[in-house]
Amino acid sequence: MSPKRFLYSITAGRKKEGIFCRTGEVFGEMRAYDIIDAKKRGAALSEKEIRFFVRGVADGSVSDAQIAAFCMAVLLRGMTDEECFVLTDAMARSGDIAPRPNFTGICADKHSTGGVSDSTTLVLVPVLCALGVRCAKYSGRGLGHTGGTLDKLESFPGFNVNLTAGQFERQVERIGGAVAGQTKSTVPADKRMYAVRDVTATVDSIPLIASSVMSKKLASFADVILLDVKYGDGAFMQSPAEAEKLARLMVSIGRKAGRKMCAAVTCMDAPLGDSIGCNAEVREAIEVLKGKKNALAELSVFHSEKLAALALGIPEAEARRRAEEAIASGAALKKLAEIVGAQGGDARAVYDESMLPLAGNCEILRAAGSGRLKISALALGKACCALGGGRQKEGDEIDHTVAILLKRRAGDFVREGETVAEVYFNREDNDALALARGAFETVQTYEPQPLVYSYIGEED
Ligand code: URA
């Protein structure tokens, strides 16, 4: 074999064909094979190598098998923060990058790594808009057992989540906020890599999650970004320590790219709100905007406070007071109706719950014993999907009327036979109903974790 063909150095000092190589030195063709091989051996990749690989993902010259091998090598060997930043930047640049529009005012965004009964976006966006903070919120669809904001918004009859970049920008300028999906041409490298990760057990890698999430943020134009990184039973990250590591990495990537960043590490052992399923979660978000107090309200106000304080440059206590006032005065609810109407949705549903119906069959779930209630977010998220409330595979239609309504909270003392939840469904599925029943356990002692484990502020 001619040494010229792929004499290409990954780490300094490695001798290939008798020649000493400096880091990143290129003697011949760069190949995806060598990059994967180097990561497999634990080497740190150079900027050129990472950009070469990501370009190949986007233009199709790197195969799915090579993407899978690369992702597994990263999952097992990790990446330095510098490698991860370059990977994120290269992914963001693999498609269209939305330039910062020249309208005045700080633009905010929030991103959750995925949970069950987490409709904070539906509360936070109208609250922030009511406070005069622009919200350019790009959201996603449900992933695995977790719910997706775009699916929930489609509960409003006619709601259009597919705005063009121009429509999105004009709506943010005109009424202060928009919530939509990113277009096909945004971060195509992530779309391909994510699809491969999903079927090759390589989702739960901190550098891969960080680059996937942050590439989409860097491709959009928000100035201030809050990350809600979940840990626990219903989240990708199992422990708060892992979630905090992921949060810090994403914050550092965003800051390096010039964005104002903050992050909250929050618990997802039990569902956040009291409702699971699209119509039910939209109903609950509306109730919170009408003043209902629960964990969903608490976290939505927490996030609103942090983002408003950063965006408006006011003390957090003042930001909280304004957020609570936006809810109490009805200004935030009015904003939600305005956003729904602007995106083609029937805003009457904001004021008429019957337009967000629940399925016709109901099974009551009762406590199997007396004691403290433990609730598995993972099992309920899976049960909701299996009943048709989420997708089992890409492209599946969602039944928006499927719902699980919690009647008691995790940590409550319950007596045997007491109602703990109601399950609403159209298509009877005994396995799914058994999964829902199994999500509830009564134990002698159980103290739920605090909602917010830690917060990484602007100064941290
Ligand atoms: N959400 C994303 O967008 N990417 C991941 O890798 C995980 C969660």
Side-chain angles (χ1 to χ4, degrees):
M1 191 179 297
S2 142
K4 275 248 143 187
R5 257 194 73 210
F6 56 93
L7 248 188
Y8 163 63
S9 134
I10 307 278
T11 46
R14 188 187 311 156
K15 278 189 178 176
K16 277 205 171 179
E17 313 281 343
I19 298 174
F20 183 85
C21 309
R22 280 188 293 280
T23 303
E25 201 170 344
V26 179
F27 295 91
E29 255 171 63
M30 202 180 276
R31 304 191 316 168
Y33 179 99
D34 298 320
I35 295 170
I36 297 163
D37 188 46
K39 184 46 76 185
K40 178 184 81 183
R41 292 169 200 281
L45 302 176
S46 72
E47 175 163 358
K48 271 188 200 153
E49 286 155 359
I50 294 171
R51 292 196 187 277
F52 172 86
F53 193 87
V54 172
R55 230 176 1 257
V57 173
D59 69 18
S61 58
V62 166
S63 70
D64 279 0
Q66 288 173 317
I67 296 174
F70 174 84
C71 290
M72 188 56 87
V74 171
L75 183 140
L76 296 173
R77 292 300 204 157
M79 272 189 154
T80 64
D81 289 1
E82 183 54 30
E83 280 179 289
C84 194
F85 175 76
V86 174
L87 177 64
T88 309
D89 184 69
M91 281 165 63
R93 290 173 198 278
S94 69
D96 295 344
I97 302 226
R100 173 68 168 85
N102 54 16
F103 50 64
T104 54
I106 300 285
C107 221
D109 189 3
K110 180 222 77 157
H111 183 90
S112 153
T113 53
V116 177
S117 185
D118 179 354
S119 312
T120 47
T121 295
L122 302 184
V123 178
L124 168 135
V125 170
V127 166
L128 287 176
C129 291
L131 299 186
V133 177
R134 294 185 194 281
C135 263
K137 177 80 188 81
Y138 281 113
S139 289
R141 301 228 172 247
L143 202 60
H145 65 279
T146 65
T149 300
L150 299 185
D151 298 323
K152 293 174 205 175
L153 282 170
E154 284 176 344
S155 287
F156 290 108
F159 194 99
N160 177 20
V161 298
N162 299 313
L163 302 183
T164 64
Q167 287 170 329
F168 184 83
E169 186 185 314
R170 281 192 294 281
Q171 187 176 316
V172 174
E173 178 163 27
R174 191 168 56 81
I175 64 169
V179 187
Q182 284 182 306
T183 63
K184 279 205 173 68
S185 48
T186 315
V187 199
D190 177 63
K191 290 190 179 73
R192 216 176 144 214
M193 276 174 80
Y194 197 90
V196 172
R197 287 168 60 209
D198 205 20
V199 293
T200 55
T202 49
V203 170
D204 55 343
S205 146
I206 288 179
L208 293 179
I209 296 176
S211 53
S212 166
V213 169
M214 289 308 296
S215 60
K216 288 172 278 204
K217 299 291 133 194
L218 300 193
S220 71
F221 58 76
D223 310 294
V224 179
I225 301 165
L226 180 142
L227 303 166
D228 181 352
V229 184
K230 308 279 187 198
Y231 75 90
D233 173 72
F236 291 122
M237 296 290 112
Q238 292 303 296
S239 72
E242 275 180 308
E244 197 165 300
K245 198 168 160 198
L246 173 62
R248 288 195 183 279
L249 179 57
M250 293 197 288
V251 162
S252 80
I253 292 170
R255 286 184 183 154
K256 214 164 174 177
R259 312 296 173 100
K260 266 193 185 175
M261 301 292 303
C262 58
V265 173
T266 66
C267 183
M268 188 37 69
D269 279 338
L272 175 61
D274 303 325
S275 311
I276 303 161
C278 289
N279 284 1
E281 289 189 49
V282 173
R283 280 182 177 202
E284 188 177 7
I286 292 169
E287 283 172 32
V288 168
L289 286 170
K290 288 180 177 166
K292 177 179 173 170
K293 300 273 188 275
N294 63 1
L296 172 65
E298 204 184 308
L299 194 61
S300 304
V301 171
F302 180 89
H303 289 341
S304 304
E305 167 199 317
K306 302 297 181 196
L307 273 173
L310 274 182
L312 300 173
I314 56 176
E316 288 181 352
E318 173 61 12
R320 171 167 287 257
R321 193 196 62 71
R322 291 190 199 178
E324 286 170 347
E325 174 59 22
I327 293 174
S329 68
L333 189 68
K334 223 168 124 200
K335 262 294 169 197
L336 176 66
E338 206 179 335
I339 293 168
V340 170
Q343 291 187 229
D346 191 336
R348 288 174 304 174
V350 171
Y351 303 101
D352 177 2
E353 200 177 73
S354 71
M355 291 178 71
L356 301 163
L358 304 188
N361 303 311
C362 176
E363 175 166 318
I364 308 246
L365 305 186
R366 298 180 190 282
S370 298
R372 296 276 161 206
L373 192 62
K374 269 184 99 171
I375 307 176
S376 161
L378 177 64
L380 289 182
K382 282 185 171 174
C384 181
C385 285
L387 288 167
R391 293 182 188 81
Q392 302 287 34
K393 58 179 182 339
E394 206 184 333
D396 279 355
E397 281 280 314
I398 282 189
D399 181 346
H400 286 241
T401 67
V402 167
I404 302 174
L405 306 185
L406 301 182
K407 296 297 167 186
R408 300 303 300 269
R409 297 291 304 170
D412 282 358
F413 182 82
V414 294
R415 292 193 188 287
E416 186 180 340
E418 210 177 300
T419 299
V420 291
E422 293 166 357
V423 184
Y424 292 83
F425 55 93
N426 288 311
R427 193 189 68 214
E428 187 146 358
D429 178 328
N430 287 328
D431 290 343
L433 290 170
L435 199 55
R437 284 179 215 117
F440 298 88
E441 204 188 331
T442 42
V443 292
Q444 280 317 300
T445 51
Y446 175 60
E447 201 51 59
Q449 297 295 313
L451 195 50
V452 179
Y453 170 81
S454 63
Y455 174 70
I456 301 166
E458 207 193 357
E459 310 300 326
D460 300 314

